[in-house]
């Protein structure tokens, strides 16, 4: 079973920041949080991952709470092409597999 | 960087046919490759994990004689669906992970998937 909980859907206006929350209250000390997105009928696209510290790359920022029980993915200036299903995944340490939950369907509106 | 190519992207074939899907890491060496299956409006389900030069590890409920996986090199893994039937119709996706993937700190990079339709 997935170790994360995400809202099933969210809307965001084009040009605004999209903040996608994720709860992972049972995360273990050395388990990474990964974010992927999947645009319809395509393979998932890697966005970002982190362990304890906040991370930023050219696509997004990842904010992880100090207790590591939740995180937020931030798309700073959402565009229509960011419409996708976003998956927050805790990569289990025992076998490093990605266990996929239902994700959040993010719709960017003009 | 980190490009994974999957081929073919779409296959339609008759029941009883065997279908081979290729997954290549184009700009990195993939010590581990993964095969997933996705049904409409559902999330990805891991089918098997393969390491170069060794036998694949299949998830519970996945028939290894039905879904043959070969990972003969650090850049290529293949999935063969043997004697495919309509219930095998699905979206098959591969991913690859580069060297140094221990401790979960190496992202998996995904191909664009293969849509398999068995008539």
């Amino acid at each position: 079973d997935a170790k994360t909980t995400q809202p099933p859907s969210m809307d965001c206006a084009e040009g605004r920041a999209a903040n996608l929350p994720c709860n992972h209250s049972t995360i273990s000390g050395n388990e990474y949080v990964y974010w992927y997105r999947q645009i319809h009928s395509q393979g998932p696209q890697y966005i970002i991952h982190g362990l304890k510290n906040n991370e930023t790359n050219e696509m997004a920022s990842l904010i992880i709470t100090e207790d590591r029980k939740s995180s937020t993915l931030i798309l700073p200036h959402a565009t229509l092409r960011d419409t996708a299903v976003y998956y927050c995944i805790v990569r289990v340490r025992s076998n490093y597999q990605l266990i996929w939950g239902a994700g959040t369907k993010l719709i960017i509106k003009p | 960087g980190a490009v994974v190519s999957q081929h073919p992207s779409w296959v339609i074939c008759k029941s009883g046919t065997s279908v081979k899907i290729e997954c290549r890491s184009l700009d990195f060496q993939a010590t581990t490759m993964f095969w997933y299956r996705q049904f409409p409006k559902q999330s990805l389900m891991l089918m098997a994990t393969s390491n170069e030069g060794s036998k694949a590890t299949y998830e519970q409920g996945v028939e290894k004689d039905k879904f043959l996986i070969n990972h003969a090199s650090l850049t290529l893994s293949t999935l063969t669906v043997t004697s495919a039937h309509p219930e095998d119709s699905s979206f098959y996706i591969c991913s690859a992970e580069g060297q140094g993937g221990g401790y979960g700190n190496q992202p998996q990079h995904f191909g664009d998937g293969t849509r398999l339709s068995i008539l």
Side-chain angles (χ1 to χ4, degrees):
Chain A
D1 291 339
K3 296 182 67 172
T4 61
T5 303
Q6 298 177 254
S9 64
M10 292 181 62
D11 292 345
C12 179
E14 188 179 17
R16 304 296 292 268
N19 296 276
L20 292 91
C22 179
N23 288 322
H24 31 79
S25 58
T26 61
I27 193 170
S28 298
N30 289 327
E31 291 178 334
Y32 284 81
V33 178
Y34 277 79
W35 284 84
Y36 285 82
R37 71 181 182 183
Q38 188 176 24
I39 297 170
H40 183 62
S41 297
Q42 296 182 21
Q45 179 186 22
Y46 165 74
I47 300 174
I48 199 167
H49 74 285
L51 184 62
K52 297 179 182 178
N53 299 321
N54 298 336
E55 303 287 345
T56 296
N57 62 21
E58 64 278 4
M59 289 183 68
S61 295
L62 174 60
I63 309 298
I64 302 174
T65 58
E66 192 169 342
D67 63 7
R68 301 188 70 237
K69 292 185 177 182
S70 65
S71 60
T72 301
L73 178 75
I74 301 173
L75 307 178
H77 304 287
T79 70
L80 298 179
R81 287 179 294 181
D82 292 322
T83 293
V85 178
Y86 286 76
Y87 295 95
C88 168
I89 301 167
V90 170
R91 193 163 191 186
V92 295
R93 178 160 175 75
S94 58
N95 56 17
Y96 309 121
Q97 288 182 359
L98 298 174
I99 308 299
W100 300 74
T104 295
K105 185 171 184 179
L106 176 66
I107 298 174
I108 307 300
K109 297 187 173 181
Chain B
V3 178
V4 175
S5 174
Q6 190 171 338
H7 179 80
S9 57
W10 193 289
V11 179
I12 302 174
C13 58
K14 294 181 179 179
S15 183
T17 306
S18 292
V19 179
K20 180 184 282 189
I21 303 169
E22 290 188 351
C23 180
R24 294 180 183 272
S25 56
L26 297 186
D27 53 0
F28 67 101
Q29 293 187 323
T31 51
T32 306
M33 287 186 168
F34 304 83
W35 287 95
Y36 295 84
R37 185 172 181 176
Q38 186 176 32
F39 290 106
K41 298 188 178 181
Q42 293 187 22
S43 192
L44 280 73
M45 292 294 293
L46 180 67
M47 298 175 67
T49 303
S50 73
N51 292 294
E52 184 263 339
S54 60
K55 290 184 178 180
T57 301
Y58 291 81
E59 295 301 300
Q60 191 173 8
V62 178
E63 299 175 60
K64 61 181 181 181
D65 294 330
K66 174 79 170 175
F67 300 98
L68 301 179
I69 293 172
N70 183 280
H71 190 168
S73 78
L74 284 173
T75 59
L76 174 64
S77 177
T78 60
L79 169 68
T80 301
V81 184
T82 62
S83 186
H85 293 287
E87 58 267 28
D88 298 322
S89 298
S90 188
F91 191 48
Y92 293 87
I93 311 170
C94 73
S95 71
E97 182 178 296
Q99 293 174 328
Y103 309 108
N105 192 23
Q106 193 76 243
Q108 290 180 26
H109 297 281
F110 287 78
D112 275 338
T114 297
R115 192 158 302 281
L116 176 62
S117 296
I118 308 298
L119 304 177

